[in-house]
Amino acid sequence: MVQVIKAIFYFGPLLFGIGFLAPLSAQIIQAMGWTPPFGLTPLMTGLILGGAYGLLAQIRGRWV
Amino acid sequence: MSPTQDLSHLSEAELLRMEREIAARHLDKFPYFAVFWAFSNFAVWLALWPLVFMGIIPLWLGFIIATANITLSYLPSHEAQHDIIAKPGAKLRWLNQLVGHVSTIPLVLPYQVAKITHMDHHKHANDPELDPDYSTHADGPLHAIWKSIYNRQPRANGGFNAYGELLNRKGRTDVILVSVGYQLVHYGILFALAWSGYALEAALLWWLPRHIGLTYIQYYLSWAPHNPGLTKGRYRDTRSFRSIVGNIGSLGMQYHIIHHLHPRIPLYRTPRAYWEMKPILEARGCDVHDL
């Protein structure tokens, strides 16, 4: 259990990118009425943006 | 005693006696407003969720109110941390603990974590190794805001990460586990809301207001009253200061020196205690020149 919790916190930035920033980005895209390029859906775009930003934060150890 | 009276000729023992007499007049006052503030502030923040979800108030308004709520959520807990509402063993002790636990829920800051780390801050203020709030030290206002944000980054050494280190040093695994539980529930709720189609609501009623609130709290409660924070000691580790947003806008921190000298004086009594005590503080060489 402790190992699972440690893993969750270790991968926190990546999980936050996918778990929160991705759907947030998708809902911002929808609310603004934007159309993502290459036929991507808002959620796919959100997953790319949130996942990439989360991965970057995971590697750098910081969001900003 | 006039606030401008010169007491520099008095001995240390006389100054201490006078200081204690003044402090005694402000101790053991029940902070009714802090108790009301704790529960009403939390209730308003909770009420925002159904109000926004049902479209009764717009999300932008909910965001503004939530930001104010979360910014105001720390101080009632701070009164509880110092047992100002009720000391251990007192009849109303349960109320002290309830205020402490409830008020910082929107900040995702467990009462035990806040209390243990805050007591160490008082004990070791401005000590680079032992003061858990030392990481908020900064060269100026903008740098202080940046430090607050920077300390919240995943692999930063300061901020809540420093709190974790302190709890680890003290062997308080139980409190670390409580903190882990708070974090898991917080992020679990955010993720669940986001994937249910309420990401904007989650972001603007909790996630972003919490970050703004933490920045504001750390700026006024931690950086401003201790800046420049180069010296240690009872009469040297904090100061009074004049804030551009006044005493209320600075969360009552203009008179923070009184709080460090006599932590059990309620927040609402610190201005009065300060003006009564100012000649003594000046005679002690405290940094009280701004106000």
Side-chain angles (χ1 to χ4, degrees):
Chain A
M1 187 62 182
V2 173
Q3 292 307 317
V4 173
I5 291 170
K6 277 186 175 173
I8 289 171
F9 277 87
Y10 179 77
F11 290 108
L14 188 58
L15 290 173
F16 188 76
I18 294 166
F20 189 67
L21 294 183
L24 178 63
S25 307
Q27 284 165 46
I28 290 171
I29 289 168
Q30 281 174 326
M32 302 301 281
W34 294 332
T35 308
F38 313 118
L40 292 169
T41 63
L43 187 57
M44 284 158 71
T45 311
L47 280 166
I48 292 168
L49 292 174
Y53 192 29
L55 183 63
L56 196 66
Q58 180 71 45
I59 294 164
R60 294 172 69 215
R62 47 191 281 196
W63 291 97
V64 289
Chain B
M1 186 180 3
S2 148
T4 54
Q5 197 174 339
D6 181 10
L7 300 179
S8 55
H9 59 283
L10 295 180
S11 70
E12 189 158 317
E14 284 172 308
L15 289 171
L16 189 60
R17 183 187 54 77
M18 290 169 75
E19 181 189 320
R20 283 180 177 162
E21 275 176 15
I22 294 167
R25 289 203 289 273
H26 299 282
L27 288 167
D28 298 321
K29 307 286 180 197
F30 188 81
Y32 290 97
F33 185 68
V35 175
F36 169 75
W37 171 357
F39 297 117
S40 57
N41 190 57
F42 184 60
V44 169
W45 179 71
L46 279 184
L48 288 176
W49 295 85
L51 289 172
V52 168
F53 278 42
M54 290 191 283
I56 296 168
I57 64 168
L59 183 54
W60 65 264
L61 181 60
F63 166 62
I64 294 169
I65 298 170
T67 303
N69 282 147
I70 297 184
T71 305
L72 292 170
S73 68
Y74 180 76
L75 284 169
S77 170
H78 182 239
E79 300 282 89
Q81 287 163 36
H82 288 286
D83 304 326
I84 289 171
I85 298 162
K87 290 180 203 171
K91 199 175 159 192
L92 286 177
R93 182 63 177 172
W94 63 271
L95 184 61
N96 189 85
Q97 301 305 83
L98 189 64
V99 166
H101 283 283
V102 164
S103 54
T104 52
I105 288 173
L107 277 174
V108 198
L109 175 63
Y111 175 53
Q112 299 96 316
V113 175
K115 179 157 181 151
I116 291 169
T117 55
H118 189 61
M119 293 306 121
D120 259 50
H121 162 66
H122 272 265
K123 205 168 160 187
H124 304 292
N126 293 348
D127 186 317
E129 302 298 324
L130 298 173
D131 180 359
D133 292 333
Y134 190 82
S135 61
T136 59
H137 283 219
D139 299 331
L142 288 177
H143 189 217
I145 292 168
W146 168 246
K147 284 290 287 286
S148 172
I149 297 166
Y150 182 80
N151 285 333
R152 258 171 276 144
Q153 302 307 305
R155 286 206 286 272
N157 293 322
F160 288 163
N161 291 344
Y163 287 8
E165 282 299 312
L166 170 71
L167 294 170
N168 204 24
R169 278 203 308 273
K170 285 181 174 287
R172 295 303 304 265
T173 317
D174 56 328
V175 180
I176 293 174
L177 283 175
V178 172
S179 188
V180 166
Y182 265 60
Q183 297 288 326
L184 290 177
V185 170
H186 172 60
Y187 287 109
I189 291 171
L190 289 185
F191 290 11
L193 284 168
W195 284 97
S196 308
Y198 297 105
L200 284 168
E201 288 80 357
L204 295 177
L205 293 181
W206 202 354
W207 179 71
L208 189 55
R210 175 175 174 266
H211 281 286
I212 295 171
L214 283 169
T215 306
Y216 199 89
I217 289 166
Q218 286 168 353
Y219 182 94
Y220 274 119
L221 271 72
S222 197
W223 176 73
H226 293 283
N227 182 50
L230 302 172
T231 48
K232 291 183 274 183
R234 179 173 167 81
Y235 296 98
R236 297 286 179 275
D237 58 17
T238 185
R239 62 173 188 148
S240 64
F241 66 98
R242 190 177 296 279
S243 163
I244 54 167
V245 290
N247 194 45
I248 292 174
S250 63
L251 304 174
M253 289 299 118
Q254 286 193 153
Y255 309 97
H256 194 66
I257 188 167
I258 295 298
H259 173 64
H260 266 255
L261 292 172
H262 300 280
R264 291 199 63 256
I265 293 180
L267 180 67
Y268 79 99
R269 302 283 296 205
T270 56
R272 251 185 286 180
Y274 174 80
W275 291 114
E276 290 173 27
M277 223 178 267
K278 194 178 179 194
I280 299 167
L281 303 178
E282 282 184 325
R284 291 272 193 194
C286 299
D287 184 357
V288 289
H289 315 296
D290 255 16
L291 199 65

